[in-house]
Amino acid sequence: MSAVVSLNQEKEKEVGVIGAGLVGCLTALALQKKGYKVILFELRQDPRLKSTKEKNLRSINLAISDRGIKALKYVDENLAKKVLDKVIPMRGRMIHDSKGNQESQLYGLYGESIKSIDRGYLNQELLNEIDIINKSGVGYPIEVLFGKKLINLSFLGEEENPTVTIVDQSSHQEQIFEFDFIVSADGAFSATRHYLQRYVRMTFKQEFIDTCYIELSIPAGPGNSFLIDPNHLHIWPRDKFMLIALPNQNGSFTSTFFSSWELAESLNTDTKILNFFKEHFEDGLKLIGEDNLISSFKNNPKGSLVQIHCNPYNYKGKAILIGDAAHGMVPFYGQGMNCGFESLRILLEMLEKNNFNTEKAFNQYSKERHQDLEVILKLALDNYNEMSHDVTSIVYLMRKKIDSF
Ligand code: FAD
């Protein structure tokens, strides 16, 4: 595996990266290391600012797996090391049945694991890495512009360079930027994708599933101890709905409840919420606590789940979609971010192979990556049935899956 080094021998090229989420930040870092001059636009404010942190008190965590770690290492071994210092390995699933029994199902025979990581920490670590690169004086600094939203994209002139209109979220002033090319990681509801469709005959499908998720939490025990085994991904599978929990460094677990929208919306009083959890997740309720459950269930947003299919992902060598913007997926395979990171690694490899000819690299990427992405989207959907139902059945024992929830 080769580390990313400055191989871009062409004239200094300016690249716009849209979206400073997990995939956008890693993309900006990787392209800077390739020798490009990068501007990164993010519609929200810097998540490291105190004011922003307070608004974002929820502690979503993610499972990072081999796919994602390999991409992090490809971009920067040291960054991968820093990230891996703050993860909790989950070596298997812990299945909680309705009687409160727990059964461990290991992911592999040799301690293979997926790793629980705080999403906010990972995003901030990627932004900190950008600051480190900028201070190092090696290569062009990455300009990060927060509070800036892409509101239009067109391709102008003979060279058809991407021209993006960006609006400042506070002053509402618009600015126009022209780039040699853009890489867009602006999430499942990508504005870039919308504008790109005026230029690309893009097949596109947005598929909502009838599942709602609500984030809950299991507090730490005395002295920041874990109340259940920290080295498992805990699942309470109940066929049509389920609860999961992933460990955090401070002894707590972030837990997520998944169900149909109808069920989630029918649990609209304290009594209904409590009775439902008493009936189906008695041991889970004891861990979460009654007051905590009611307040989280009522106050935390109810999230929808969507799958994004599109093809091709690029417009010539001028613009390409990556991450959830290109292949948003339901979270049941734990691969949305991992797959976004992998897409970046593959794109970088194709740029190298094509001597940084973006048109050839982007076309090759769209052609060769599509089928794999469609497979992983299908696996993500299939894994909901596996997690909510099959893990409790004998069928599961006949199969073995590593690198997934
Ligand atoms: P996003 O994280 O959506 O980032 C997009 C960024 O673009 C945002 O910062 C946004 O503010 C910005 N933006 C949007 N529009 C504009 C605009 N017009 N102009 C400028 N900026 C813009 N994945 C895993 O790998 N493992 C897991 O365990 C896992 N668990 C999950 C659990 C849940 C409940 C959910 C919902 C998802 C989970 N995922 C998981 C998926 C993962 O969260 C996503 O795949 C990942 O966050 C995608 O990263 P991204 O950078 O492509 O998009």
Side-chain angles (χ1 to χ4, degrees):
M1 188 192 304
S2 65
V4 179
V5 285
S6 294
L7 293 174
N8 175 24
Q9 303 295 325
E10 286 188 63
K11 79 172 174 65
E12 165 194 301
K13 285 205 165 176
E14 295 194 347
V15 187
V17 175
I18 318 298
L22 300 169
V23 177
C25 286
L26 193 63
T27 302
L29 278 166
L31 291 174
Q32 190 274 356
K33 284 173 182 250
K34 291 285 189 196
Y36 292 107
K37 212 168 173 181
V38 177
I39 303 187
L40 174 59
F41 298 94
E42 167 55 46
L43 83 83
R44 290 184 246 196
Q45 296 303 328
D46 188 337
R48 297 165 297 180
L49 296 177
K50 198 165 172 268
S51 52
T52 322
K53 266 187 190 161
E54 278 162 6
K55 274 192 221 145
N56 198 4
L57 286 175
R58 296 190 306 142
S59 70
I60 304 178
N61 50 16
L62 298 163
I64 185 164
S65 67
D66 196 46
R67 187 173 267 120
I69 293 167
K70 197 171 164 194
L72 275 175
K73 285 186 179 161
Y74 181 86
V75 174
D76 189 326
E77 286 274 353
N78 278 334
L79 171 65
K81 231 167 149 188
K82 273 188 221 166
V83 167
L84 289 173
D85 265 359
K86 288 279 177 357
V87 298
I88 301 182
M90 299 181 290
R91 301 198 176 87
R93 303 161 169 153
M94 186 70 85
I95 306 301
H96 296 246
D97 73 14
S98 48
K99 295 194 179 79
N101 300 312
Q102 297 185 35
E103 182 204 336
S104 164
Q105 295 175 350
L106 295 181
Y107 290 131
L109 294 176
Y110 306 102
E112 292 92 331
S113 64
I114 51 176
K115 290 142 187 38
S116 177
I117 183 157
D118 184 286
R119 173 200 285 269
Y121 165 79
L122 180 54
N123 213 156
Q124 289 175 33
E125 208 45 48
L126 292 169
L127 287 165
N128 290 341
E129 197 60 28
I130 290 177
D131 290 347
I132 292 171
I133 294 270
N134 288 350
K135 279 189 196 131
S136 76
V138 179
Y140 295 110
I142 301 171
E143 202 174 334
V144 189
L145 301 178
F146 289 105
K148 308 280 183 192
K149 181 179 182 180
L150 176 142
I151 55 160
N152 202 0
L153 163 68
S154 49
F155 298 90
L156 297 180
E158 220 169 277
E159 296 212 352
E160 290 193 284
N161 277 345
T163 304
V164 295
T165 309
I166 299 289
V167 64
D168 183 284
Q169 295 296 85
S170 312
S171 68
H172 305 294
Q173 293 224 322
E174 291 181 12
Q175 250 184 307
I176 293 182
F177 295 79
E178 185 185 325
F179 294 102
D180 289 287
F181 67 92
I182 61 166
V183 181
S184 216
D186 52 351
F189 301 102
S190 166
T192 317
R193 188 181 61 225
H194 170 76
Y195 295 112
L196 210 50
Q197 285 172 8
R198 291 184 193 157
Y199 296 87
V200 184
R201 290 187 302 279
M202 182 190 286
T203 303
F204 168 67
K205 187 164 110 184
Q206 173 177 293
E207 191 182 8
F208 281 94
I209 62 163
D210 177 24
T211 302
C212 154
Y213 72 91
I214 303 173
E215 196 189 305
L216 309 171
S217 65
I218 296 175
N224 286 348
S225 59
F226 290 99
L227 293 178
I228 42 179
D229 189 300
N231 298 119
H232 280 80
L233 190 153
H234 292 262
I235 310 179
W236 288 257
R238 299 292 184 265
D239 201 11
K240 298 277 183 271
F241 48 87
M242 70 172 166
L243 190 67
I244 67 169
L246 276 73
N248 296 315
Q249 292 279 334
N250 64 1
S252 69
F253 285 78
T254 301
S255 173
T256 314
F257 172 70
F258 296 93
S259 77
S260 69
W261 277 90
E262 193 183 359
L263 173 59
E265 284 172 346
S266 73
L267 301 176
N268 52 10
T269 65
D270 296 7
T271 315
K272 283 184 192 167
I273 298 167
L274 268 186
N275 286 348
F276 180 83
F277 271 73
K278 272 181 192 156
E279 184 179 348
H280 299 287
F281 305 112
E282 202 185 348
D283 58 335
L285 175 60
K286 280 187 192 136
L287 294 164
I288 295 169
E290 295 192 359
D291 291 345
N292 181 21
L293 171 72
I294 291 170
S295 122
S296 308
F297 209 94
K298 282 167 65 174
N299 299 323
N300 286 349
K302 293 183 173 62
S304 55
L305 296 176
V306 67
Q307 300 252 105
I308 301 293
H309 305 258
C310 61
N311 187 35
Y313 306 102
N314 66 303
Y315 177 62
K316 302 185 179 173
K318 295 297 174 182
I320 190 156
L321 300 171
I322 198 164
D324 274 16
H327 48 75
M329 64 189 75
V330 297
F332 308 116
Y333 208 50
Q335 286 299 323
M337 170 202 66
N338 286 301
C339 197
F341 282 5
E342 182 180 68
S343 292
L344 172 65
R345 178 180 64 76
I346 289 171
L347 184 65
L348 295 168
E349 284 175 354
M350 288 182 179
L351 274 167
E352 273 182 42
K353 269 189 211 141
N354 288 289
N355 210 13
F356 296 92
N357 178 321
T358 48
E359 181 147 5
K360 283 189 187 158
F362 290 4
N363 284 340
Q364 186 188 1
Y365 173 90
S366 275
K367 206 166 155 214
E368 294 180 13
R369 182 74 173 139
H370 182 62
Q371 209 176 351
D372 286 347
L373 289 172
E374 285 300 305
V375 169
I376 208 138
L377 280 156
K378 182 175 178 329
L379 286 169
L381 209 48
D382 289 351
N383 216 42
Y384 179 61
N385 294 331
E386 165 115 3
M387 287 174 76
S388 60
H389 172 72
D390 291 355
V391 283
T392 58
S393 75
I394 192 75
V395 177
Y396 173 74
L397 301 173
M398 317 287 285
R399 303 192 218 144
K400 191 162 81 69
K401 288 216 169 99
I402 299 176
D403 208 35
S404 79
F405 274 5

